[in-house]
Amino acid sequence: MSMPTATVMTTAPGAGVMRAPAGDIPSQHWQGGPVNCGVCCYADLRALPDVQGCEPGHACMQDAYARRIDRFFRWHPSLGDEQLTHAYFEVRAIAARHASVFRLTPLIDDPDETVRLQIALRLPLTQLARLANDPHREVRIRVAQRLAPLALATLRGDPDYGVRELVALRLPLAILPTMAGDPDRAVRMRVAQRLEMPALLRMADDIEPEVRRVVAERLPAPLLSRMASDADWRVRWEVAQRADAATLDTLHDDDDAEVRQAVRERQARDAAFTARCGRTPSLIGVVHG
């Protein structure tokens, strides 16, 4: 059964009755009650055609529905500067997407995180650091995505692990070892995915097997022997993928069937390569720094 078409009444001269799409959220003024075009400061836009004007229930700055506000400002992006102090946070947030970046600085301290989130997406990098201590994690995440890599060091101790994960993905390699002891496993995994030697080797003893597995994926092959007796079979399985022949032999009778199978497959591949090419395959890993 189809939903009834939402009808929006206006009092603008000659406006008549406007209809939103069937099943859409009924139009309502952001302060409650119906939208009254007659008291809107942009009432003159009602006389203009679609895209150039506005349309209650479809493109309206006074509506409570963010999608209609967004459509209004997409039709009239030049009006963004005029509405940065509007009382409704949705209007401020959407206006901030279109306003001049030179007008955005006062909104760094806006009381609503939705507005500050938009500011974090558009502020010049020279001012973005002012949002690094924002109380809302989503704002700080956007900051971590945009800050210059060298400036990210200030966010290494952020209370939210999601922010620190982004920092670990973008922090300069020279500073990255300072995050190797992060309290969160996911953050340390990101660190291990990027660390260079010899800092990577120091993570081979991490308390979490998921982190050690990442280390085993990247450690130079000649150093994998130190991880061949790891307590977790997933780490030993990774060792079997790239370890030298001597280390591989130590895993031949491993307690775990998956590791033993990986050893047999690896030895078969290596033997076939040697027979075909006349040399042993190259062992890869992170280059020593």
Side-chain angles (χ1 to χ4, degrees), residues 95-160:
R97 300 176 189 172
H98 304 278
S100 166
V101 293
F102 301 107
R103 300 286 302 277
L104 299 180
T105 303
L107 294 178
I108 289 176
D109 299 315
D110 192 277
D112 194 277
E113 66 270 13
T114 306
V115 179
R116 300 195 306 275
L117 180 60
Q118 294 301 323
I119 300 307
L121 294 172
R122 296 198 62 217
L123 268 182
L125 294 181
T126 54
Q127 300 181 46
L128 191 58
R130 293 177 57 184
L131 283 168
N133 295 315
D134 192 274
H136 200 277
R137 71 179 297 269
E138 292 297 330
V139 176
R140 300 196 309 277
I141 283 175
R142 298 307 183 276
V143 172
Q145 289 172 332
R146 292 190 60 220
L147 268 182
L150 283 174
L152 282 171
T154 59
L155 290 171
R156 286 175 296 176
D158 191 275
D160 189 272

